[in-house]
Amino acid sequence: MKEETTPPSNHPDHNAPAAPANSAGSLPNSRKVFVKTYGCQMNVYDSQRMADSLAAEGYVTTDTPDDADMVLLNTCHIREKASEKLYSALGRLREMKKQRHKNGREMIIGVAGCVAQAEGDEIVRRSPSVDLVVGPQTYHRLPQALAQVRQGQQVVDTEYAVEDKFEHLPAASRDRLSKRGVSAFLTVQEGCDKFCTFCVVPYTRGSEVSRSVTQIVNEAVRLVQAGVRELTLLGQNVNGWHGIGDDGREWGFGELLYRLAEIPDIARLRYTTSHPRDMDDVLINAHRDLDILMPYLHLPVQSGSDRILRAMNRKHKADDYIRLIERIRSARPDMALSGDFIVGFPGETDEDFEDTMRLVREVGYAQAYSFKYSPRPGTPGADLPAHVEEQVKDERLQRLQALLSEQQYAFQDSLVGTEMDVLLEKPGRLEGQMIGRSPWLIPVIIDKNPGEAGDMIRVRVTTTGTNSLVAEKCA
Ligand code: 5AD
Ligand code: SF4
C-alpha cells in the first residue's frame, strides 16, 4: 500500500528529484556526477550543496547514472523501507561499476545522508563496491574524501565535525544558483532535540543547530539575485530556530521571518517542518503581518490521542494543538493546514485511533501525510510493548487516508471560482501552458501563455485536476 495520502513535491517522505542537471558551462573534459536524492526537502538542499562542492572539483551534474563518473546516493532513514531502497540501488550500481571497470572507466560510488550516518561501516561491509560514505554533518569534507578514494582508500567519514559545515562549503557559482529555479530551499536549522520516541532524526541529524542570521540573509540575498522568488526555509524543527539578530538581541524564528521579508524582490516565504510547541506569538503574528508569508502550514500532530501523544513524547495534548490552530487561524483566516500522522504506534487501541480521526475532522486538513508506524532500531518506541498487528495498521491507515483525501478534495473544490495569485514556475505539457503554485502550494495549470517563469499573476480557478487546479488568467 502506498503510504502518502497525496504525492506533492515537497514533503519529508516524498522521493525527491535528483539534483538539477548542469549542462551549461560544462568543460569538455569535466567529470560527471549523478546525485540521487531520497527523503525530505533538506536532503534536496544538501544534494544541491554537495553538487556545488563537487562542481568546484570539476564535476558537472548529470541526470542519469549511465554516463556518470561518480554516483552519490543521498539517503533517508526515517522508515525501514527507505534504507532498503538504498541497498537495492547499491546492488544495481555494483553491476554497473563492474561493467565500467571492464571498459577501463572509473565509477565512484558514494553514500551520503541519514542512512550513511546511522549505518556507515555496515554500508561498506554489506556493499564493498561503495567508495565513500559521508554523513549529513560531514559532507563539506567530500573533496578530501574524494582525494583519499583516488589514493585507493575506502572512506567512511561520519564523525560529527566540530566545525560548521556551512562555513566550509563553497558558495555556489552564479551559474549553478541560477539553476535553482523560481523556488528554492534554504536550510536555516538542523537537527532535533525533541526526541519523539518513534523518530531517528535526533540520532542521524544530531542536536539542534541554528545557522546565523548573517549566513541565512546572505544566502537568501544571493538566491534572490540569481532569480529565486520563493524561499522555503528548512529545518527538522524549523520554528525552533534561534539566533542573535541584527539588533544584538536573541531572535526566534518569527523575528527571522520579519527580517527576511525585508529583502527586496522576495515574493514568497514558506517554511517547514514545525513543531507545535515552538509556535510562539511572534511567529503567529508574522502570519498576520507578512503578506509574503504564505498561508499554508505543515504542522504535524502525529496522533489525536493524549495517551499516545504521551508515549510518543510529543509534550503536548490533542487539545493544545486544536487551540493552537484556532489562534493561528484567527491571525490568518485563510490559513490551510497540512500534517503528519502515524497509525499503529505501540499500544494504540481502537479508541486512540478514533481520537485521531476526531482530531482530523475537527481541524480539517488541506493536505496531509500518514504512515504506518515503523519501528526504528535504537529509538525508544521500538522497545515498547504491545506492537500493533500489521493488518490493523493497514486498516487504520486506509480509513485515515480516505478521510484525509476527502478533506483534500473538499479544500481544492472550495477554491473553484475564486481568484488568487499564482507564481509561475515552468512550462506545462501542452503548448502555451504554464504551471505555477497557489499560495497553498497546490500546482495551478494555466493555458494561453499567461506569462513567464517567475511572474506572479492573478488567476481565477475554473476547475480542479488530480492534485492540481486549472485556472485562467484574470483580465
Ligand atoms: N514510523 C512511521 N512514521 C514515522 N515518521 C517519523 N518516524 C516514523 C516512524 N518510525 C513520520 C512522522 C514524521 C514524518 C517525517 O515521518 O509522521 O513527522
Ligand atoms: Fe523527529 Fe519529533 Fe524531532 Fe520531528 S520533532 S524530527 S518527529 S524527534
Side-chain angles (χ1 to χ4, degrees):
M1 183 189 294
K2 207 167 151 292
E3 290 201 309
E4 297 87 3
T5 49
T6 52
S9 61
N10 76 331
H11 181 262
D13 191 59
H14 190 66
N15 258 1
N22 174 10
S23 47
S26 59
L27 305 167
N29 293 329
S30 55
R31 295 192 177 97
K32 292 184 179 163
V33 58
F34 170 67
V35 186
K36 168 82 182 161
T37 311
Y38 300 88
C40 65
Q41 300 98 319
M42 193 173 288
N43 269 9
V44 175
Y45 176 84
D46 288 343
S47 289
Q48 287 168 343
R49 297 300 302 253
M50 286 191 278
D52 292 342
S53 150
L54 290 169
E57 300 294 305
Y59 281 91
V60 292
T61 49
T62 169
D63 44 20
T64 160
D66 299 333
D67 63 346
D69 305 282
M70 176 173 179
V71 173
L72 190 58
L73 305 177
N74 192 10
T75 58
C76 170
H77 201 233
I78 200 91
R79 277 170 297 277
E80 200 174 355
K81 264 201 236 156
S83 48
E84 283 315 311
K85 278 187 202 157
L86 166 69
Y87 288 108
S88 58
L90 285 176
R92 290 191 297 274
L93 288 174
R94 184 187 54 218
E95 292 311 310
M96 229 168 167
K97 182 171 177 166
K98 263 195 216 154
Q99 207 50 46
R100 207 61 76 75
H101 278 187
K102 271 191 200 151
N103 301 335
R105 274 192 64 195
E106 173 185 84
M107 183 167 157
I108 294 176
I109 302 179
V111 180
C114 293
V115 184
Q117 186 62 45
E119 297 183 13
D121 292 317
E122 171 76 2
I123 293 172
V124 288
R125 198 185 57 74
R126 269 179 78 168
S127 309
S129 55
V130 169
D131 298 289
L132 66 93
V133 177
V134 288
Q137 305 307 342
T138 49
Y139 68 74
H140 57 295
R141 298 198 291 240
L142 203 46
Q144 290 95 303
L146 210 50
Q148 286 170 279
V149 169
R150 293 206 191 294
Q151 288 161 6
Q153 296 176 36
Q154 198 177 35
V155 181
V156 177
D157 182 3
T158 52
E159 281 296 309
Y160 283 143
V162 255
E163 70 272 13
D164 170 6
K165 73 168 176 257
F166 292 109
E167 291 290 348
H168 288 77
L169 283 166
S173 67
R174 204 174 159 94
D175 181 45
R176 282 195 51 81
L177 277 184
S178 68
K179 299 206 168 47
R180 298 282 204 268
V182 169
S183 180
F185 294 135
L186 200 177
T187 292
V188 301
Q189 178 278 338
E190 270 191 282
C192 184
D193 298 336
K194 294 278 191 291
F195 289 93
C196 299
T197 53
F198 53 81
C199 187
V200 287
V201 166
Y203 312 96
T204 54
R205 288 271 172 176
S207 53
E208 285 183 21
V209 178
S210 296
R211 293 181 71 188
S212 73
V213 173
T214 315
Q215 266 190 12
I216 295 166
V217 171
N218 287 349
E219 192 168 330
V221 168
R222 291 196 72 223
L223 285 165
V224 172
Q225 283 169 350
V228 167
R229 304 217 59 211
E230 175 179 271
L231 277 180
T232 301
L233 309 180
L234 300 180
Q236 268 87 29
N237 194 11
V238 71
N239 57 342
W241 179 92
H242 59 96
I244 303 298
D246 297 343
D247 54 7
R249 282 191 316 113
E250 174 81 5
W251 283 4
F253 186 62
E255 277 106 343
L256 179 67
L257 289 173
Y258 282 99
R259 172 68 186 86
L260 290 171
E262 289 170 8
I263 296 174
D265 294 331
I266 288 195
R268 287 180 166 181
L269 279 175
R270 303 181 184 276
Y271 61 92
T272 195
T273 287
S274 304
H275 194 287
R277 279 175 62 89
D278 291 325
M279 289 299 300
D280 64 14
D281 287 342
V282 183
L283 179 50
I284 294 175
N285 290 343
H287 279 286
R288 180 196 62 199
D289 298 339
L290 300 175
D291 287 341
I292 69 164
L293 187 55
M294 291 296 99
Y296 178 84
L297 184 60
H298 184 67
L299 195 62
V301 63
Q302 314 294 356
S303 168
S305 152
D306 286 342
R307 232 173 50 80
I308 297 298
L309 286 170
R310 202 175 322 116
M312 287 176 164
N313 192 31
R314 292 288 295 178
K315 299 201 176 85
H316 62 79
K317 296 190 169 172
D319 194 54
D320 300 330
Y321 181 83
I322 287 170
R323 300 283 88 81
L324 175 61
I325 302 291
E326 284 171 1
R327 281 168 55 218
I328 295 168
R329 281 185 167 145
S330 61
R332 183 82 202 221
D334 61 346
M335 181 67 85
L337 266 299
S338 162
D340 290 343
F341 296 90
I342 295 178
V343 299
F345 187 76
E348 186 187 73
T349 62
D350 285 343
E351 218 169 60
D352 294 318
F353 175 67
E354 291 308 327
D355 286 344
T356 300
M357 294 290 277
R358 222 181 337 266
L359 179 139
V360 170
R361 281 190 209 100
E362 190 160 350
V363 171
Y365 287 88
Q367 198 268 325
Y369 307 86
S370 44
F371 314 99
K372 287 189 287 182
Y373 173 65
S374 159
R376 308 308 287 129
T379 60
D383 297 329
L384 287 175
H387 278 255
V388 175
E389 272 176 49
E390 217 42 39
Q391 192 200 334
V392 175
K393 285 188 198 171
D394 281 337
E395 285 163 11
R396 289 181 187 163
L397 187 65
Q398 236 165 29
R399 280 190 56 208
L400 177 59
Q401 293 195 337
L403 176 60
L404 290 168
S405 299
E406 200 181 291
Q407 293 192 340
Q408 180 184 350
Y409 292 129
F411 177 69
Q412 291 182 8
D413 288 346
S414 75
L415 297 173
V416 175
T418 65
E419 283 187 14
M420 64 182 67
D421 291 331
V422 166
L423 178 60
L424 296 180
E425 283 187 1
K426 57 184 181 195
R429 271 187 293 129
L430 305 179
E431 181 70 29
Q433 201 173 61
M434 289 295 288
I435 304 195
R437 292 269 175 183
S438 72
W440 304 281
L441 215 52
I442 310 167
V444 186
I445 302 163
I446 311 129
D447 284 328
K448 299 187 190 160
N449 299 304
E452 307 208 327
D455 290 350
M456 185 81 78
I457 63 165
R458 191 85 187 151
V459 306
R460 184 175 305 102
V461 178
T462 52
T463 179
T464 60
T466 338
N467 300 315
S468 63
L469 301 172
V470 181
E472 55 193 19
K473 188 175 176 181
C474 292

